[in-house]
Amino acid sequence: MTTPISPSSETTRSAREVFTAISGLVVGMFVAVLSGTVVSTSMPVIIADLGGTQSQYTWVITASLLATAVSTPIWGKLADLVDRKVLVQLSLILFTVGTVIAGFSTDTNMLIAVRVVQGIGVGGLMSLVMIAVALIISPRERGKYMGVVGGIMALGTIGGPLLGGLLTDVWGWRSNFFVGVPFAILAIVLLQFTLHLPKPQRDTKVSIDYFGIVLLAVGVSTLLIWVSMGGNQFDWDSSTSIMLAVTAGVAIAAFITVEFFVKEPIVPMSLFRNRTFTLSVIASIAIGVSMFATSVFLAQYFQLARGATPTESGLMTIPMIVGQMGASIIIGQLVSRFGKWKGWMLLGSVLTTVGVSLMATLRYDTPFGLVATYMVVLGAGLGMVMQNLTLIVQNDTAPQQLGAASSNVNFFRTIAGTIGVTIMGSLLSSSVATYVKDGLEGFVPASQEEVDALQHLGSGDVPKVGQLPETVRSIVESAYGHGIADAFIIAIPLAVIAVIAIAFIKNKPLSTKNAAEQLREQAEESAIEVSQAEVGSSASTGTIRIADLEAGSPKTGSVTVLEREDEREREREDRGR
């Protein structure tokens, strides 16, 4: 029989003790987010310095996204099977090693390879931090702590380009890769001394779905390669495009089939029977597009439509940071205090819809005060929804599937965000080309400088707006301002879908027990059930009774006749025949 486990001291932790326990996780999350955004403003400089092509430029970005997307559900499933603390530390070590090597890259191919290692580490951090927080903190209290985590993510997402621009201007692009290393080392040290997580309780040998891992990697990678390079590196109706599409479809279909039959599926299909999980995935897909689009296209808007430098464009995104980080922290506190989440999430999804709709009205000469207002509205909406989607899934999922459920919400958000931004980028390119062509209609260059500028625009390369003649510059800025606004139109119907999905999520009260406590309770209940089963099995073999003593028999030293209840019943049936 299993001995009941005594309550943990975790239930009496103060806020300071909890923040100490998750300090390494928060730093690790910041490092993960920062790694993907800090190099965004420096990529043109990096590729030019390493002598890379436009195709390699795309692969530097795609390689990291692919590795992150594919590894996210795998890390989450491993968290249900093996020591979570070891997994967090391993993901940080992988990220740190990849980052250091990336800073010493001598050519673009080397940079692409180590970006894959970085992406695998980031995928682990993005999954495992949320899982570890769920194990330590109850859903009712988790809101305020996840609000802080969401604020850190917002700071890294929006503030990364600003930091990257400053570092590149002052110390060169290699410093972009080294800036996160001290934070990663600090996180590893903090995790070692402050993080204490329960190990998964398993009675059977760990079974890893290797076949599913291979199919998932092939299917998702091929899908993202097809979407990100289609129409650019190859035509949509080319044999290459058809081969990639078919391969992706077959691999994903095979993966889904395998997940129904393996012992420990990476993406348990049973999760989709949970309405909260399914609707949260739908909402995450819609919100992911808005989140990724904001981080990618805002920097382009300020640099290409308003002629700002990388540093200036980073400063201009501060209203977005204020909106997203402020809403994430404040709403997280309110959710924890009052236990009400649905109203805030509905409000956030509505604000996100309004925000992307306002972004679709941007022009190159829109007053910055209005642009800042649009960013605050959109940032506040994203801040209210993003972390709370993970919270409600964790609240309505069995602790044994906590890792898989949490990581898959992030997985679908990443996949959708990547695909959505790629489609929006394609629309942006075609729109800008059309608007530039319309703007230059009837334009006659009056100087050699204008002739050179038109030739550069005809090459299809991204222009350096600040170096263009004023007459051409205004046309290009107008085209990019209008084109980026058109790209945001795609995000509007998706944001509406998020509103509808959240509206239909069951308004389940937040639990006051963390996942570790729920696991202990289940262990105690299992022990009680085993005890009751043991007692019941003895009783089910027949109740033993002492037969009546025959008259005149001695009361001591006599032999009593024992009869089983079921045997007596059979005798009665025989006599009745």
Side-chain angles (χ1 to χ4, degrees):
M1 187 191 313
T2 305
T3 305
I5 304 171
S6 60
S8 171
S9 59
E10 291 171 3
T11 57
T12 59
R13 278 178 171 168
S14 65
R16 180 177 180 180
E17 290 171 332
V18 172
F19 272 117
T20 300
I22 68 172
S23 57
L25 298 172
V26 172
V27 175
M29 175 65 80
F30 177 71
V31 169
V33 176
L34 187 66
S35 70
T37 59
V38 73
V39 298
S40 60
T41 53
S42 309
M43 283 303 298
V45 178
I46 296 172
I47 299 301
D49 189 47
L50 295 177
T53 63
Q54 180 62 40
S55 175
Q56 289 174 319
Y57 182 105
T58 304
W59 268 105
V60 170
I61 299 172
T62 305
S64 179
L65 289 174
L66 281 173
T68 299
V70 171
S71 64
T72 294
I74 297 173
W75 284 107
K77 184 59 186 180
L78 289 175
D80 291 333
L81 303 176
V82 298
D83 193 314
R84 292 109 173 184
K85 181 174 179 177
V86 172
L87 290 176
V88 176
Q89 292 172 318
L90 177 61
S91 63
L92 264 172
I93 291 171
L94 280 174
F95 165 79
T96 306
V97 170
T99 299
V100 171
I101 298 175
F104 290 107
S105 295
T106 56
D107 58 53
T108 314
N109 290 329
M110 178 180 176
L111 179 60
I112 291 171
V114 293
R115 288 282 285 175
V116 171
V117 179
Q118 269 190 305
I120 294 173
V122 170
L125 291 171
M126 297 293 285
S127 299
L128 298 168
V129 168
M130 296 301 180
I131 296 167
V133 169
L135 287 165
I136 296 172
I137 309 166
S138 70
R140 178 63 183 270
E141 292 296 314
R142 202 176 301 157
K144 58 185 177 184
Y145 298 103
M146 291 186 73
V148 174
V149 173
I152 294 297
M153 288 182 65
L155 182 62
T157 300
I158 310 299
L162 168 61
L163 179 60
L166 285 171
L167 291 173
T168 301
D169 291 341
V170 177
W171 288 297
W173 62 265
R174 295 184 187 275
S175 60
N176 288 182
F177 294 102
F178 297 137
V179 68
V181 175
F183 292 102
I185 295 174
L186 174 62
I188 292 172
V189 173
L190 288 173
L191 287 169
Q192 181 61 36
F193 293 103
T194 64
L195 184 64
H196 304 286
L197 299 176
K199 293 180 173 58
Q201 297 179 359
R202 302 188 59 82
D203 298 327
T204 59
K205 184 180 179 181
V206 172
S207 175
I208 298 177
D209 180 16
Y210 294 106
F211 191 35
I213 291 174
V214 172
L215 289 173
L216 177 66
V218 172
V220 173
S221 299
T222 309
L223 174 64
L224 291 183
I225 291 170
W226 177 57
V227 173
S228 62
M229 295 187 175
N232 183 18
Q233 305 297 320
F234 48 80
D235 294 331
W236 287 111
D237 58 351
S238 65
S239 59
T240 301
S241 176
I242 295 172
M243 181 185 68
L244 288 172
V246 171
T247 302
V250 171
I252 291 173
F255 169 74
I256 293 173
T257 303
V258 166
E259 296 305 277
F260 279 106
F261 298 101
V262 295
K263 184 177 181 181
E264 293 289 353
I266 297 172
V267 182
M269 293 298 134
S270 60
L271 287 174
F272 290 96
R273 291 199 294 265
N274 184 325
R275 188 174 78 176
T276 299
F277 175 80
T278 303
L279 291 175
S280 295
V281 165
I282 294 172
S284 291
I285 289 172
I287 292 297
V289 174
S290 299
M291 181 183 72
F292 276 68
T294 301
S295 62
V296 171
F297 294 117
L298 271 183
Q300 291 192 24
Y301 171 75
F302 288 124
Q303 292 183 45
L304 300 176
R306 303 187 78 101
T309 65
T311 302
E312 289 170 345
S313 70
L315 291 171
M316 288 177 170
T317 58
I318 288 178
M320 188 77 190
I321 300 174
V322 172
Q324 190 169 345
M325 191 172 181
S328 181
I329 294 174
I330 293 172
I331 301 305
Q333 293 282 346
L334 293 174
V335 168
S336 292
R337 176 171 296 183
F338 300 106
K340 306 293 183 183
W341 55 266
K342 188 163 185 176
W344 295 116
M345 288 187 64
L346 277 172
L347 175 61
S349 60
V350 171
L351 287 178
T352 300
T353 305
V354 173
V356 293
S357 300
L358 292 173
M359 287 293 182
T361 67
L362 289 176
R363 297 294 182 267
Y364 79 105
D365 57 353
T366 302
F368 181 72
L370 284 179
V371 179
T373 302
Y374 300 168
M375 286 190 288
V376 170
V377 172
L378 179 55
L382 293 174
M384 290 182 186
V385 176
M386 274 174 38
Q387 299 310 310
N388 283 328
L389 279 173
T390 305
L391 170 64
I392 61 175
V393 166
Q394 292 175 341
N395 182 61
D396 200 19
T397 301
Q400 291 86 353
Q401 291 186 318
L402 183 65
S406 303
S407 62
N408 276 289
V409 171
N410 292 327
F411 167 69
F412 285 107
R413 181 164 58 200
T414 302
I415 292 292
T418 304
I419 294 174
V421 167
T422 301
I423 295 173
M424 293 170 74
S426 298
L427 176 61
L428 171 61
S429 298
S430 60
S431 297
V432 167
T434 301
Y435 291 134
V436 169
K437 182 180 179 181
D438 293 343
L440 291 174
E441 187 175 353
F443 177 80
V444 178
S447 65
Q448 184 61 40
E449 187 182 19
E450 292 180 347
V451 172
D452 294 340
L454 293 179
Q455 290 177 344
H456 181 74
L457 289 175
S459 69
D461 293 339
V462 177
K464 295 181 179 179
V465 177
Q467 298 177 7
L468 295 175
E470 189 61 36
T471 51
V472 178
R473 176 176 176 172
S474 60
I475 294 173
V476 172
E477 287 182 342
S478 176
Y480 271 97
H482 206 158
I484 289 171
D486 289 349
F488 271 101
I489 293 176
I490 295 177
I492 296 175
L494 294 174
V496 173
I497 292 174
V499 176
I500 297 172
I502 291 172
F504 282 96
I505 295 177
K506 184 179 179 181
N507 192 8
K508 183 177 180 179
L510 298 177
S511 172
T512 58
K513 292 180 172 56
N514 62 40
E517 291 167 347
Q518 292 176 29
L519 287 170
R520 283 196 299 272
E521 284 188 356
Q522 290 182 5
E524 292 173 1
E525 290 174 0
S526 297
I528 293 173
E529 289 174 0
V530 169
S531 300
Q532 291 175 340
E534 290 174 350
V535 173
S537 64
S538 298
S540 65
T541 58
T543 303
I544 308 299
R545 292 191 179 185
I546 301 177
D548 297 333
L549 292 174
E550 295 181 359
S553 61
K555 294 183 179 180
T556 59
S558 62
V559 179
T560 60
V561 179
L562 303 181
E563 296 180 337
R564 293 182 183 273
E565 185 67 28
D566 53 351
E567 292 176 354
R568 176 175 292 184
E569 189 65 31
R570 283 197 297 269
E571 291 176 0
R572 290 197 188 109
E573 292 176 357
D574 291 340
R575 285 196 297 269
R577 288 174 182 172

